[in-house]
């Protein structure tokens, strides 16, 4: 068997795994969202339903969170919901389409070389390294998919830049025209939705690195390069200006970390990459010799490999100064890491908001795949087979381990009981005491025109995010027909409670560790 046949056989095997990974993605998105959606996705779902109800993309008197949310699963889910009126199906179908966009960008990036390159890259990307609110799989492919468009845009620009280097004057590159149009659409959407974030963290390093490469090699500027750069800047600028008029995205207000906290921030930023891929734990009880421990060690191997190959890519470019793929790919990762190190982006996280690494992580996977397969081609047949089999086993193991994260258990079962009971009470408003997450999830689960679910703080006033401003600061004392839901683990209320002098409340029902209270007669 010659080397070409070796690669053909392994292309088939890795393609089979990729098919199964896509199948898993389709199944979980079409069957699991209703049972496992988190409050961040709940806000997006509620926002989509309210946009359709109000018949307006920008709802008047709306309290936006960190973004306008259009560069998330809402991108496709909104038009699908207009047709289906099924929010769970809309999100599922949208996430499948978003995954297709990211897959297209990877295929375009590796266009013209062996198929095993994009196949293996997608194999690595589609592993459910971590599953949960704000975790890897959810951010890219599942439930809210808040980062799928954000990471696709820089990969498309990277691909367009590389194709510019190889374009032939006598031949029109239809693939690049399609990719360019798609790039501009997605760039405008993410700029309009998230402000400067993607441009600053994902596109600016590519523009700077490509310009520097041209300058130091004394190359002439091509017409298509001017079009690409101008389109990028103009499209970003228009989207950012519209975002500023609509609301102020959190990314537009990034601040530098204080100098005394800089080293601590750098450490947390670095190890945040490990948390993102499930190769670090905050638990003090995880045993090394256990299925979870072995899984963590394998993921640690993947994470360390990504870092090592990134360093190799930088060294190779410094020595050779010719491989533009390595320069541009590494520039996104290094630049994004630098931005995260010097800015205060921890917010409420105990360690680090590790999802912010995603923009720099995708190029790391692309670099690792390229260098790994380039090196593999120079090895002997027996070495190729050994490493390929090892890679197949790792892929299979990590995907099987990831499947265990999707449990067929309804995480909202108790909330559904509370909703059902509140329907019987026939109340107008259900207040959750200091519990944003369950209030937001109830709005999606109930989808009621008559019952409102709000958060109430200890000052006796309501609080909302990603909802109507008119419900913000609503005093509970001014309401007549309502219920208050209390989590006993945070507020061990007795049967009768004087709510900070605002109202007298009486418990009428308990659901596990949750109590339902109404105003005492």
């Amino acid at each position: 068997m010659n080397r070409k046949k070796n690669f053909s056989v392994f292309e088939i095997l890795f393609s089979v795994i990729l098919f199964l990974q896509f199948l898993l993605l389709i199944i979980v998105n079409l069957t699991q969202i209703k049972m496992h959606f988190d409050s961040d996705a709940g806000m997006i779902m509620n926002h989509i339903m309210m946009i359709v109800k109000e018949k307006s993309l920008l709802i008047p008197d709306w309290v936006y969170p960190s973004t306008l949310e259009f560069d998330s699963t809402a991108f496709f889910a909104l038009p699908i919901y207009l047709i289906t009126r099924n929010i769970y199906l809309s999100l599922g179908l949208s996430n499948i389409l978003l995954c297709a966009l990211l897959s297209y960008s990877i295929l375009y990036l590796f266009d013209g070389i062996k198929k095993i390159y994009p196949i293996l890259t997608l194999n690595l990307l589609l592993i459910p390294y971590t599953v949960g609110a704000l975790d890897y799989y959810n951010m890219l492919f599942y439930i809210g998919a808040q980062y799928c468009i954000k990471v696709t845009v820089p990969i498309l620009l990277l691909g367009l830049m590389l194709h510019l280097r190889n374009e032939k004057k006598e031949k029109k590159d239809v693939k690049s025209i399609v990719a360019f149009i798609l790039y501009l659409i997605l760039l405008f959407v993410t700029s309009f939705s998230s402000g400067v974030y993607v441009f600053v963290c994902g596109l600016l390093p590519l523009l700077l690195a490509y310009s520097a490469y041209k300058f130091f090699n004394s190359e002439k500027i091509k017409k298509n390069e001017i079009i690409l750069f101008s389109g990028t800047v103009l499209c970003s600028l228009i989207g950012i200006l519209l975002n500023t008029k609509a609301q102020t995205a959190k990314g537009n207000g990034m601040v530098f970390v204080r100098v005394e906290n800089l080293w601590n921030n750098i450490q947390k930023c670095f190890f945040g990459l490990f948390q993102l891929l499930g190769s670090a734990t905050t638990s003090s009880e995880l045993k090394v010799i256990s299925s979870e421990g072995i899984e963590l060690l394998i993921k640690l191997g993947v994470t360390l490999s990504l870092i090592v190959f990134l360093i190799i890519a930088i060294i190779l470019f410094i020595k050779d100064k010719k491989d533009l793929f390595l320069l541009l790919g590494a520039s996104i990762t290094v630049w994004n890491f630098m931005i995260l190190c010097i800015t205060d982006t921890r917010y409420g996280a105990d360690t680090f908001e590790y999802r912010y690494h995603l923009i720099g992580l995708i190029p790391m996977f692309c670099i690792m795949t390229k260098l790994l397969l380039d090196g593999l081609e120079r090895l002997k047949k027996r070495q190729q087979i050994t490493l390929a089999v090892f890679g197949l086993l790792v892929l299979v193991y990590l995907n099987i381990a990831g499947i265990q994260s999707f449990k067929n258990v309804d995480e909202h079962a108790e909330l559904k009981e509370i909703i059902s009971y509140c329907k019987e009470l026939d109340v107008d408003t259900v207040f959750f005491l200091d519990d944003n997450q369950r209030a937001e999830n109830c709005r999606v689960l109930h989808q009621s025109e008559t019952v409102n679910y709000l958060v109430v703080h200890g000052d006796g006033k309501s609080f909302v995010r990603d909802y109507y401003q008119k419900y913000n600061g609503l005093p509970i004392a001014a309401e007549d027909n309502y219920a208050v839901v209390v989590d006993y683990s945070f507020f061990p209320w007795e049967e009768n409670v004087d709510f900070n002098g605002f109202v007298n409340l009486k418990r009428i029902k308990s659901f596990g560790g949750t109590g339902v209270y109404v105003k005492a007669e």
Side-chain angles (χ1 to χ4, degrees), residues 179-448:
F180 182 56
I181 294 170
L182 177 62
Y183 165 69
L184 291 181
I185 293 170
L186 296 181
L187 174 56
F188 171 76
V189 170
T190 194
S191 299
F192 175 51
S193 180
S194 299
V196 301
Y197 177 57
V198 173
F199 179 80
V200 169
C201 294
L203 305 185
L204 188 56
L206 286 172
L207 298 178
L208 293 174
Y210 191 87
S211 299
Y213 184 90
K214 296 273 294 183
F215 177 79
F216 287 110
N217 285 283
S218 302
E219 294 183 4
K220 291 182 179 180
I221 300 172
K222 299 177 183 177
K223 176 185 173 183
N224 285 346
E225 290 171 339
I226 295 173
I227 294 172
L228 178 60
F229 274 54
S230 301
T232 296
V233 174
L234 285 174
C235 210
S236 298
L237 188 61
I238 294 169
I240 291 164
L241 289 174
L242 289 174
N243 170 272
T244 305
K245 289 199 72 172
Q247 62 107 43
T248 303
K250 191 179 286 184
N252 295 349
M254 284 189 291
V255 296
F256 288 105
V257 69
R258 292 171 56 174
V259 66
E260 61 266 30
N261 299 327
L262 183 59
W263 179 242
N264 184 49
N265 196 61
I266 292 172
Q267 286 180 299
K268 291 183 181 295
C269 178
F270 177 73
F271 288 109
L273 179 63
F274 291 78
Q275 282 186 282
L276 177 63
L277 293 174
S279 56
T281 178
T282 55
S283 171
S284 59
E285 299 178 358
L286 180 59
K287 295 180 180 179
V288 176
I289 308 302
S290 65
S291 59
E292 293 86 357
I294 294 169
E295 180 187 344
L296 187 144
L297 287 173
I298 294 174
K299 290 175 180 176
L300 179 61
V302 173
T303 310
L304 291 174
S305 297
L306 286 167
I307 295 170
V308 168
F309 276 106
L310 176 66
I311 295 170
I312 292 171
I314 295 170
I315 293 170
L316 287 175
F317 181 79
I318 291 172
K319 283 184 176 181
D320 188 42
K321 295 183 176 62
K322 290 182 179 178
D323 196 332
L324 191 60
F325 183 103
L326 299 181
L327 170 67
L328 296 178
S331 71
I332 303 173
T333 304
V334 174
W335 179 275
N336 190 62
F337 183 76
M338 182 191 73
I339 292 290
L340 294 177
C341 283
I342 63 174
T343 55
D344 188 1
T345 52
R346 279 186 59 197
Y347 307 123
D350 295 329
T351 52
F352 192 78
E353 298 281 2
Y354 44 78
R355 66 187 180 279
Y356 296 144
H357 280 297
L358 283 167
I359 285 180
L361 178 63
I362 309 304
M364 290 178 78
F365 277 115
C366 297
I367 288 170
M368 183 170 77
T369 301
K370 184 178 187 301
L371 292 179
L372 189 64
L373 293 176
D374 285 351
L376 200 63
E377 282 195 313
R378 293 191 286 269
L379 298 179
K380 294 178 181 178
K381 182 177 71 173
R382 188 176 298 173
Q383 293 170 315
Q384 286 182 350
I385 294 172
T386 302
L387 289 175
V389 170
F390 176 75
L392 280 167
L393 292 174
V394 169
L395 270 178
V396 170
Y397 184 89
L398 288 179
N399 279 289
I400 291 174
I403 291 172
Q404 310 306 313
S405 303
F406 302 100
K407 303 186 187 299
N408 196 30
V409 177
D410 191 350
E411 295 178 7
H412 303 303
E414 186 178 283
L415 274 186
K416 290 174 181 177
E417 288 186 59
I418 293 171
I419 290 169
S420 180
Y421 183 70
C422 289
K423 285 180 184 177
E424 295 175 16
L425 292 177
D426 197 26
V427 294
D428 298 325
T429 307
V430 179
F431 291 100
F432 283 80
L433 182 58
D434 280 342
D435 195 344
N436 290 299
Q437 296 182 358
R438 294 206 290 177
E440 287 150 4
N441 290 347
C442 277
R443 290 187 203 125
V444 177
L445 291 168
H446 193 178
Q447 299 180 28
S448 173

Side-chain angles (χ1 to χ4, degrees), residues 32-276:
Q32 300 284 303
I33 289 179
K34 188 172 184 177
M35 296 188 291
H36 300 296
F37 72 87
D38 54 82
S39 61
D40 286 292
M43 288 193 294
I44 296 173
M45 295 157 83
N46 185 62
H47 192 188
I48 290 169
M49 292 187 288
M50 292 303 104
I51 286 173
V52 172
K53 178 185 174 183
E54 300 286 351
K55 299 178 182 178
S56 173
L57 272 179
L58 297 175
I59 303 172
D61 195 40
W62 191 265
V63 180
Y64 289 99
S66 57
T67 75
L68 296 176
E69 300 177 320
F70 297 126
D71 58 346
S72 67
T73 188
F75 182 68
F76 286 119
L78 181 55
I80 294 172
Y81 180 72
L82 271 168
I83 300 168
T84 65
R85 288 301 197 273
N86 184 325
I87 193 63
Y88 307 110
L89 177 63
S90 301
L91 256 69
L93 293 175
S94 176
N95 293 339
I96 294 166
L97 293 172
L98 287 176
C99 179
L101 286 183
L102 179 56
S103 301
Y104 168 79
S105 72
I106 298 295
L107 289 167
Y108 176 69
L109 177 64
F110 288 107
D111 183 43
I113 56 178
K114 289 184 177 69
K115 292 177 183 177
I116 188 67
Y117 284 76
I119 290 170
L120 181 57
T121 303
L122 288 171
N123 281 143
L124 292 168
L125 289 177
L126 285 168
I127 294 171
Y129 295 99
T130 52
V131 179
L134 307 181
D135 282 338
Y136 177 88
Y137 204 75
N138 295 50
M139 289 291 101
L140 291 179
F141 309 117
Y142 184 47
I143 304 183
Q146 289 94 327
Y147 265 73
C148 196
I149 289 178
K150 291 180 179 71
V151 303
T152 300
V153 171
I155 296 300
L156 280 171
L157 179 57
L158 173 57
L160 286 164
M161 287 177 165
L162 294 175
H163 276 71
L164 279 176
R165 305 291 301 175
N166 302 318
E167 68 177 354
K168 297 177 181 178
K169 291 183 180 179
E170 68 277 5
K171 190 177 180 181
K172 184 176 284 187
D173 190 352
V174 178
K175 290 180 182 178
S176 290
I177 293 172
V178 173
F180 182 56
I181 294 170
L182 177 62
Y183 165 69
L184 291 181
I185 293 170
L186 296 181
L187 174 56
F188 171 76
V189 170
T190 194
S191 299
F192 175 51
S193 180
S194 299
V196 301
Y197 177 57
V198 173
F199 179 80
V200 169
C201 294
L203 305 185
L204 188 56
L206 286 172
L207 298 178
L208 293 174
Y210 191 87
S211 299
Y213 184 90
K214 296 273 294 183
F215 177 79
F216 287 110
N217 285 283
S218 302
E219 294 183 4
K220 291 182 179 180
I221 300 172
K222 299 177 183 177
K223 176 185 173 183
N224 285 346
E225 290 171 339
I226 295 173
I227 294 172
L228 178 60
F229 274 54
S230 301
T232 296
V233 174
L234 285 174
C235 210
S236 298
L237 188 61
I238 294 169
I240 291 164
L241 289 174
L242 289 174
N243 170 272
T244 305
K245 289 199 72 172
Q247 62 107 43
T248 303
K250 191 179 286 184
N252 295 349
M254 284 189 291
V255 296
F256 288 105
V257 69
R258 292 171 56 174
V259 66
E260 61 266 30
N261 299 327
L262 183 59
W263 179 242
N264 184 49
N265 196 61
I266 292 172
Q267 286 180 299
K268 291 183 181 295
C269 178
F270 177 73
F271 288 109
L273 179 63
F274 291 78
Q275 282 186 282
L276 177 63

